[in-house]
Amino acid sequence: MSERTEKRTQVADVDRSLYDFTYSEEGYERYDDGLTPDIVRAISEKKDEPEWMLAMRLAALDTYHAKEMAPNWGPSIAGLDMDHISTYVSPRTKQAKSWDDVPDDIKNTFERLGIPEAERESLAGVGAQYDSEIVYHNMREDVAKDGVVYTTIEDALHDPQWEPVVHEYFGTLIPPADHKFAALHYAVWSGGSFVYVPTGVKVEYPLQSYFRLNAEGAGQFEHTLIIVEEGADLHFIEGCSAPKYYEANLHAGAVELFVKDHARLRYSTIENWSKNMYNLNTKRARVGADAQMEWVSGSFGSHVSYLYPTTILQGDRSNCEFSGITFAGATQDLDTGCKVILNGADTTATVDTKSISKDGGCNTFRSSVIVGRRAANARCSVSCQSLMLDDISRSDTIPAMDVRNATASVGHEATIGRISDDTILYLMSRGCSEPEARTMVVGGFANPVSKELPLEYAVEMNNLIKLEMEGAIG
Amino acid sequence: MAESASGTLVLERVNTPPAQTWNHLRANDITLTVPVVSRKGDVYFALPRLFESIECGMGGAVTDWIESQASDARYVEVRAGEKREEPIIAESDTGIMVRAGAEATIVVCAPTGGPAQGTTAALVRIIAERGAQVHVLEFVCGDTEQHLESVGIVAGEDARVDVRQFFLGAGTTAAGLAVALDGNRARLDLSCRYLARDNDVLDINHVIRQRGRNTRCDVHESGVLDGHARKALRATIDLVHGSSGSEGAELENVLVLSDDVTNKTMPVILCDEDDVAGNHGASIGSVAPEQIQYLQDRGLTLEEAEQLYVRALFDEALICAPTSETRKAVLARATEILGSETASDLVEGLDLAEKSGPFATTEV
């Protein structure tokens, strides 16, 4: 076990303090709660944006107010009152390229989360967002020399070379009118990452963005825009966490991924928002010919989640693999899944998801597979396995398939069940306590997904499962 | 539900499953326009109020509409322990009580008569008491413009229900089946076979609520889609809290023969209990090239090979058809689709011509 893991174990043995620690907001810039055109203008002015971006924000605000939530959708978000959410909180610090230049409280936060250490050991670049602003951004020089760009959207907008690129791509894959919270995102977005990988460049180590929401009663609305040019290759990791408050927090980010012909992008996420968080995030990828999109997703936190990463397999022979795990404990109602749209000929998609429900937690797996008329010989298989750990929890699977091509083949299978008594008895007869036996089985259940993650994140995910199962890591 | 001045009614959100998907997929329900005849002042026989609480597959709006449009409802009771040999023919609004330990076969056969007949409908509600055995056979083989068939079944302790559905008709067919396995060890076996071609619209909603302990449900749907057919199937297994020891399984196989087909499938499991097992699967595609090759090697054209799958549907429907009326309806539709020669083969192959009934007089 690495020193870092041991350190985390000691912290988490006591309670969830690995994630549940806060620092004072004193001295921070915090905009009024609620949503008004003045707040939107203030955010835009603060960022000194181009005129087109302000116009987009204001139009999105109108869309947000005009759009109704579908009455037949998922877990309730009635507890989310936008009049009590501040959409912009800034720690009044400039973005740093060295951790030494980051204010102590913020640096301590990310050190406790292990970000600087991970950067030193295994990452090509790191972006760290604290509340509404990126506070640290850096990338290895050798990666930069290859022409890879990893910066914030704000910085890209101020760069004459990249402003037209952002203008061309921003908001095209997830339009502001997509749904109510996409419109909200575009009205008040702040922070996030812009990544550009030039043609043929393979980034050897992953890039990582970590999003930390420290403020109470606030929202985080980062925008991630990644363009992987033809034949390029990238692994991007996204992590997020927040301390627990009694007041609702909101995360409504957007992730737009453009994977060009023959390129490959792996997008890994470990989400561990606190259990007062409404996580209404939107992620979408468009994949070119012979290109590959891989999603690895672990969802552990949030009070309510609406999270359905979408892949549009536009190019012929493009491919998508989605591996996801969701763990819903007490007070959590997580509505997660994915969408795949197969438009190109000979496209293939594989979806493999697992969910675990415990202590009254609710999991809903929701998917849609759409095979378009020109998707000749498209192949898609969806597998969804759900584990119920007690009789007060709930697990639903709601897949939908729309197939419009005779040569396509689509398969779906789902199972819901519990750990068999025989298995527990077998393990106990070999010296395990019952909690250990149950944790072992759940760990094995999650293993196909955790093995897809980089080692340190696989360790973090396994620790999160132990934490949820036993109340402490040890 | 909105009534227009022209004597029609728009029924919205028909065949809605208990849990829904994205509205933009347009897979959550179907909207139907149905005729309305004013019956103000008329008093018809209504079913005992006990039947009002039965959930029917197409939803409350369709139940209300059929009740308002049907003339006398028909109530049938099969006495406790009785094994009724003669099938019960269920029509527009029928309530059937199968008492404890009794056994009955219930047949629902959609009327035929051509598109000119417009809209036809059937509403069937069944209560299967403790230990009862109920066999339900549904045949939609007609060519009316639009047919609605809404069925609700409640199964008590140790009751056993098997349902066989054949949706082979033309035009628009909307069918809903809701089965509540309320009693401990109640069991449902559901087989649904369908064919939709040309511009047919087929919309099916299956809802199985497993409430009792150790209940079982086994659902198999399969069918063939051709031409510009549009089909939606929603199948929900709801493992309700308290249904410990229960198992539910659902599987659909769809054979798509044309690129112009629209196939929507929504298999749902809702699980509010840990000591249960729920499985579902769906397989959508065309005939494997090697299977086609095998058949072509034996002298069949591609079209003939694909027609074998259609013929199999009619084969099975004929085997299951228990009355002369249902056999006549299936055979007439088979003749229309497969031709009279193949229809004759079906009759001969099943050795039905010998039997008394429709085949002696049916022109095939």
Side-chain angles (χ1 to χ4, degrees), chain B residues 129-152:
Chain B
E129 287 192 338
R130 181 169 49 82
Q133 288 190 51
V134 177
H135 316 286
V136 180
L137 294 154
E138 295 180 61
F139 296 89
V140 179
C141 303
D143 49 2
T144 56
E145 186 183 327
Q146 176 173 259
H147 180 71
L148 286 69
E149 192 154 304
S150 192
V151 178

Side-chain angles (χ1 to χ4, degrees), chain A residues 220-266:
Chain A
Q220 197 169 59
F221 307 94
E222 85 287 350
H223 194 99
T224 301
L225 174 60
I226 298 178
I227 302 163
V228 186
E229 288 288 4
E230 287 187 23
D233 191 318
L234 174 70
H235 183 186
F236 190 87
I237 300 168
E238 174 192 71
C240 22
S241 69
K244 187 174 188 315
Y245 295 107
Y246 287 101
E247 208 173 320
N249 277 10
L250 170 64
H251 176 234
V255 176
E256 296 184 288
L257 310 174
F258 296 86
V259 188
K260 302 290 182 69
D261 296 354
H262 303 281
R264 172 183 172 269
L265 172 62
R266 170 172 277 222

Side-chain angles (χ1 to χ4, degrees), chain A residues 72-74 366 398, chain B residues 13 16-23 28-29 266:
Chain A
N72 58 340
W73 194 256
R366 210 182 279 268
I398 310 174
Chain B
R13 298 184 61 74
T16 307
Q20 286 126 61
T21 187
W22 288 277
N23 290 318
N28 282 328
D29 51 51
M266 199 176 145

Side-chain angles (χ1 to χ4, degrees), chain B residues 49-309:
Chain B
R49 293 190 71 170
L50 179 64
F51 286 88
E52 287 179 11
S53 61
I54 297 176
E55 177 186 15
C56 293
M58 294 190 75
V62 170
T63 300
D64 292 346
W65 171 70
I66 296 178
E67 282 180 340
S68 73
Q69 296 301 297
S71 49
D72 283 334
R74 180 164 166 246
Y75 173 69
V76 181
E77 182 166 326
V78 184
R79 286 173 299 178
E82 178 187 353
K83 183 175 180 182
R84 185 175 166 139
E85 300 288 343
E86 195 69 17
I88 299 165
I89 310 299
E91 290 170 339
S92 55
D93 182 8
T94 306
I96 301 161
M97 173 73 78
V98 184
R99 294 290 185 188
E103 181 173 355
T105 298
I106 297 155
V107 179
V108 191
C109 186
T112 55
Q117 185 147 347
T119 299
T120 57
L123 173 64
V124 182
R125 286 169 278 190
I126 301 164
I127 298 172
E129 287 192 338
R130 181 169 49 82
Q133 288 190 51
V134 177
H135 316 286
V136 180
L137 294 154
E138 295 180 61
F139 296 89
V140 179
C141 303
D143 49 2
T144 56
E145 186 183 327
Q146 176 173 259
H147 180 71
L148 286 69
E149 192 154 304
S150 192
V151 178
I153 303 172
V154 176
E157 195 172 293
D158 293 307
R160 184 165 184 150
V161 177
D162 61 79
V163 180
R164 306 198 75 155
Q165 298 177 315
F166 295 94
F167 299 127
L168 309 172
T172 296
T173 301
L177 168 72
V179 181
L181 300 175
D182 285 355
N184 295 341
R185 297 174 300 281
R187 178 176 182 126
L188 166 72
D189 289 283
L190 167 60
S191 161
C192 173
R193 305 274 272 153
Y194 57 80
L195 168 69
R197 54 203 286 278
D198 299 333
N199 290 304
D200 296 344
V201 175
L202 178 59
D203 196 276
I204 305 168
N205 188 36
H206 290 149
V207 180
I208 296 101
R209 313 261 192 198
Q210 295 185 244
R211 295 194 176 95
R213 287 170 176 264
N214 299 308
T215 58
R216 294 283 180 278
C217 98
D218 203 350
V219 180
H220 284 269
E221 296 112 343
S222 65
V224 179
L225 304 176
D226 201 355
H228 289 81
R230 285 178 288 147
K231 169 242 143 190
L233 169 72
R234 304 168 204 96
T236 304
I237 293 174
D238 185 3
L239 294 153
V240 180
H241 192 76
S243 63
S244 60
S246 293
E247 292 177 13
E250 187 259 344
L251 176 66
E252 189 197 16
N253 292 300
V254 190
L255 180 61
V256 181
L257 298 182
S258 158
D259 280 344
D260 297 319
V261 156
T262 299
N263 174 70
K264 296 182 182 181
T265 297
M266 199 176 145
V268 174
I269 299 179
L270 308 176
C271 183
D272 201 15
E273 177 65 51
D274 70 328
D275 182 18
V276 293
N279 300 286
H280 66 203
S283 172
I284 302 155
S286 51
V287 186
E290 56 270 28
Q291 289 174 311
I292 290 287
Q293 188 62 49
Y294 178 86
L295 294 168
Q296 285 181 329
D297 288 348
R298 278 142 190 83
L300 293 173
T301 64
L302 174 64
E303 193 178 326
E304 286 169 336
E306 290 177 343
Q307 285 301 311
L308 284 177
Y309 293 89

